[in-house]
Amino acid sequence: PSKEFSAMTDGEDIAEAVHALKTAVEVLKASPELLHTPELAFFKEYLVSMGAKIPPAKEKKPAPKVEEVDDDEPLSEEEKEEPLPVDPDVIPESEADVSPAQENGDASKEPSDDDYEKASAVKGEAMEAQSSGEFETAVAKFTELIKLTPTAANYANRGMCFIKMKKPLAAIRDANKALELNPDSGKAYRVRGLANAQLGRWTDASKDLGQGQKIDYDEGAYEMQKKVSKKLDELHKWEQAAKARAEKAKQRKSKRAAASAAADDDFGSGFPGGMGGFPGMGGMGGMPGMGGMPGMGGFPGMGGMPGMGGIPPGMDFSKLMSDPEILQAFSNPKMMQVFSEVSPGRWGRERDAGRD
């Protein structure tokens, strides 16, 4: 043996190395298939050279049959996302307002007799322009009227002109102002309901139109109510389909996770976190835990090293390998040095060198 080996065997070092070797043997007895790993090829070579019988390598059991989920698998017709139906009559918000915003006057104003007298003439002009389809002129007249007499009816009438001009955001502002002055204005609710419908806000439109019809029924508004109800049905069906697609996607994800977990359980590392590598070698992946094997006698020619008791049957091998003492033993440089020193290749080289 080398001088380094002789020096190592002095004092307590030999006891520490033997303890590490015993621990390693216990581990190998519990899981002899470790001898077939590349990292322990040198030790296997030594045992064979001494006449030991090495158990054959176990065949890997087939992978568990888990339903495979391919992310690239084409979606079924039910799983394909369908765009929300687009109503060509819906007005984009970028086109739904007037610029600058309409004037609102002073809602707290107390009109004078002169204001009422002027308002009477202006109101006639505003209604005439509205009836003639001259909505921009009507808006201007209603604005003049609002400055004279800021009433809920005047705001609601101007809001209806904005509806005709397809400016629902301006109409909503007028409807809100009218409802501030008169919370029971059926016309203000209808104006806001029609404006929300023009914006495709079907839920809000349904609420406003329904409230307006409760206060003051209007046949024309009823036709819009039917259209809004139809749009709401389409929206609900689309939302239900979207929810079903999301559930299917969730199931796909769960199946992938189950497949990955099953593969990890059967083919992942058996030692917690993997086993640290011997000096100079990469770490060796853990093997699945298994119960202990009965003790085996000393190897032939080893000078009567007594057989050691096996690890008790039924012991969880993965728990055994979580023992810090065993893990430390496997990474002990002295144990590796003992392994390398007793390697027949090493002894053979030194014996030949001695002959020279």
Side-chain angles (χ1 to χ4, degrees):
S2 65
K3 294 180 180 179
E4 294 84 352
F5 179 69
S6 298
M8 185 199 73
T9 58
D10 292 339
E12 297 181 355
D13 286 344
I14 184 61
E16 183 180 349
V18 169
H19 174 72
L21 180 58
K22 286 181 178 180
T23 304
V25 170
E26 286 291 329
V27 171
L28 292 174
K29 284 163 63 178
S31 188
E33 62 269 22
L34 287 173
L35 286 170
H36 297 284
T37 60
E39 290 83 353
L40 291 181
F42 74 95
F43 192 50
K44 175 183 175 182
E45 176 187 351
Y46 165 70
L47 295 177
V48 171
S49 70
M50 299 296 293
K53 183 178 180 181
I54 307 298
K58 292 184 178 180
E59 294 183 3
K60 289 185 178 180
K61 60 181 179 179
K65 292 183 179 180
V66 180
E67 182 180 353
E68 295 184 358
V69 181
D70 187 357
D71 288 336
D72 297 327
E73 179 184 345
L75 299 176
S76 65
E77 290 300 321
E78 294 182 352
E79 293 177 308
K80 290 182 180 178
E81 184 173 354
E82 295 181 2
L84 182 65
V86 177
D87 188 332
D89 294 331
V90 170
I91 301 170
E93 291 195 11
S94 59
E95 303 173 9
D97 207 351
V98 293
S99 182
Q102 69 267 38
E103 295 181 70
N104 282 326
D106 182 5
S108 63
K109 177 183 176 179
E110 290 290 339
S112 64
D113 292 340
D114 186 50
D115 289 332
Y116 280 119
E117 185 177 346
K118 291 179 181 178
S120 179
V122 174
K123 182 177 180 180
E125 295 173 357
M127 298 299 290
E128 182 179 353
Q130 186 178 30
S131 299
S132 301
E134 298 174 5
F135 299 113
E136 291 186 5
T137 299
V139 165
K141 290 299 180 179
F142 277 120
T143 299
E144 187 178 346
L145 183 60
I146 286 170
K147 290 179 180 179
L148 293 169
T149 53
T151 65
N154 290 338
Y155 280 109
N157 284 328
R158 187 174 68 174
M160 187 60 72
C161 291
F162 284 128
I163 292 293
K164 298 297 184 179
M165 294 168 61
K166 296 186 177 180
K167 299 297 181 183
L169 291 178
I172 288 174
R173 284 196 296 270
D174 273 353
N176 289 340
K177 199 69 178 178
L179 289 170
E180 287 178 13
L181 297 171
N182 180 12
D184 293 325
S185 173
K187 188 170 187 177
Y189 275 113
R190 283 196 297 274
V191 167
R192 195 168 69 180
L194 293 171
N196 280 320
Q198 285 185 335
L199 291 167
R201 301 172 182 175
W202 307 117
T203 301
D204 291 338
S206 179
K207 290 178 181 178
D208 285 335
L209 289 172
Q211 184 63 23
Q213 292 294 76
K214 284 182 181 179
I215 296 172
D216 181 18
Y217 182 80
D218 181 84
E219 187 66 31
Y222 175 69
E223 293 301 318
M224 178 56 70
Q225 268 189 304
K226 290 196 295 185
K227 177 181 179 179
V228 169
S229 295
K230 182 180 179 181
K231 292 296 182 182
L232 270 178
D233 288 341
E234 292 177 358
L235 177 61
H236 291 158
K237 288 179 181 179
W238 182 87
E239 288 175 342
Q240 290 173 357
K243 184 177 180 180
R245 287 192 296 271
E247 183 62 28
K248 285 184 178 292
K250 182 179 179 181
Q251 291 175 1
R252 278 173 169 259
K253 186 176 181 180
S254 296
K255 288 179 180 179
R256 286 197 298 270
S260 177
D264 287 345
D265 287 344
D266 287 326
F267 297 100
S269 295
F271 297 161
M275 185 168 69
F278 292 120
M281 302 182 187
M284 180 169 68
M287 299 291 292
M290 59 182 287
M293 295 178 63
M296 54 187 287
F299 296 123
M302 289 186 66
M305 178 177 178
M308 290 182 284
I311 294 177
M315 177 177 286
D316 188 339
F317 189 60
S318 64
K319 291 182 179 179
L320 173 66
M321 289 311 299
S322 66
D323 190 306
E325 183 178 0
I326 295 179
L327 290 175
Q328 182 180 5
F330 257 98
S331 60
N332 192 313
K334 292 184 174 64
M335 183 185 76
M336 275 303 303
Q337 191 166 355
V338 169
F339 280 168
S340 62
E341 291 293 347
V342 299
S343 169
R346 171 70 180 265
W347 277 7
R349 288 192 300 273
E350 294 191 357
R351 181 176 63 250
D352 294 341
R355 291 174 180 174
D356 293 343

